[in-house]
Amino acid sequence: ACLVGSEMCIRDRCPPCELSMLLKGKVALIAGAAISMVGIPASSVQAQTDSLLRARHRAWAIPADLSDAQQVQQTVKAFGCLYIAVACAAVRYHDCDFNFDALDESVWEETHAVNLRGVMLTCKSSIGHMLNQESGGSIVMVSSVTARDGESPNASYLTSKHGLNAYTGTLLWRAQYLL
């Protein structure tokens, strides 16, 4: 997985709008950057980062293991300030996550390490960081329609996304006490 940071306006080529003005100069962390979710190689993430740099934005592509608390904490700290964290890391093994009686435990463990632990660590580090700055921040959680309809042969993936939805609900409930 990869952590991508960017300091940019999301609508740089459009006339200024209220949203673009709110986001201008804000630091965002995208944890996952679709690397493991859709198999995009790290070089593609670096290419996207390079295109942001050519457009005069500050951007970083940082390879990291999102299930490793120390790597996540160090990366979040490196940003200095952080206004937006997008937790979208995920793995899904279509070829080996479907037979309940023959499911390899390592597939279950890795799926939950990235899809749940990685998101939790991203949120934990980001929330702590945001609470220590005057401006606060926002967290965006990315799940899957799979968790809503429950129709997937991929048991590890499906249960991890159900868990992610429950975790998101817990964060929302708990947020009222953090403010």
Side-chain angles (χ1 to χ4, degrees), residues 35-71:
I35 299 298
S36 17
M37 191 181 306
V38 293
I40 296 172
S43 59
S44 294
V45 173
Q46 187 59 56
Q48 289 299 316
T49 302
D50 292 344
S51 71
L52 289 170
L53 293 169
R54 283 192 299 278
R56 296 192 196 103
H57 300 295
R58 292 185 352 179
W60 309 271
I62 306 164
D65 178 352
L66 295 178
S67 66
D68 182 314
Q70 187 174 2
Q71 287 187 44

Side-chain angles (χ1 to χ4, degrees), residues 131-151:
L131 287 174
N132 290 326
Q133 60 190 28
E134 284 185 28
S135 58
S138 298
I139 295 181
V140 178
M141 307 286 275
V142 178
S143 184
S144 171
V145 68
T146 299
R148 278 195 12 228
D149 64 25
E151 295 178 13

Side-chain angles (χ1 to χ4, degrees), residues 12-166:
D12 191 54
R13 293 192 177 107
C14 304
C17 66
E18 190 175 323
L19 178 61
S20 68
M21 297 313 292
L22 287 172
L23 296 177
K24 190 172 181 83
K26 302 295 186 198
V27 176
L29 166 71
I30 304 171
I35 299 298
S36 17
M37 191 181 306
V38 293
I40 296 172
S43 59
S44 294
V45 173
Q46 187 59 56
Q48 289 299 316
T49 302
D50 292 344
S51 71
L52 289 170
L53 293 169
R54 283 192 299 278
R56 296 192 196 103
H57 300 295
R58 292 185 352 179
W60 309 271
I62 306 164
D65 178 352
L66 295 178
S67 66
D68 182 314
Q70 187 174 2
Q71 287 187 44
V72 174
Q73 289 169 348
Q74 287 174 343
T75 303
V76 170
K77 257 188 192 175
F79 280 87
C81 59
L82 182 63
Y83 299 94
I84 305 160
V86 181
C88 64
V91 293
R92 185 174 190 169
Y93 297 103
H94 293 284
D95 59 339
C96 56
D97 180 17
F98 55 85
N99 289 331
F100 293 107
D101 60 330
L103 180 62
D104 188 324
E105 291 172 21
S106 66
V107 171
W108 178 275
E109 295 296 329
E110 184 175 349
T111 301
H112 285 84
V114 174
N115 298 9
L116 282 175
R117 180 178 167 81
V119 169
M120 180 276 295
L121 292 172
T122 299
C123 291
K124 177 182 174 183
S125 295
S126 299
I127 289 168
H129 201 78
M130 291 171 180
L131 287 174
N132 290 326
Q133 60 190 28
E134 284 185 28
S135 58
S138 298
I139 295 181
V140 178
M141 307 286 275
V142 178
S143 184
S144 171
V145 68
T146 299
R148 278 195 12 228
D149 64 25
E151 295 178 13
S152 172
N154 307 116
S156 301
Y157 182 80
L158 177 63
T159 56
S160 72
K161 291 304 179 176
H162 274 291
L164 176 58
N165 289 352

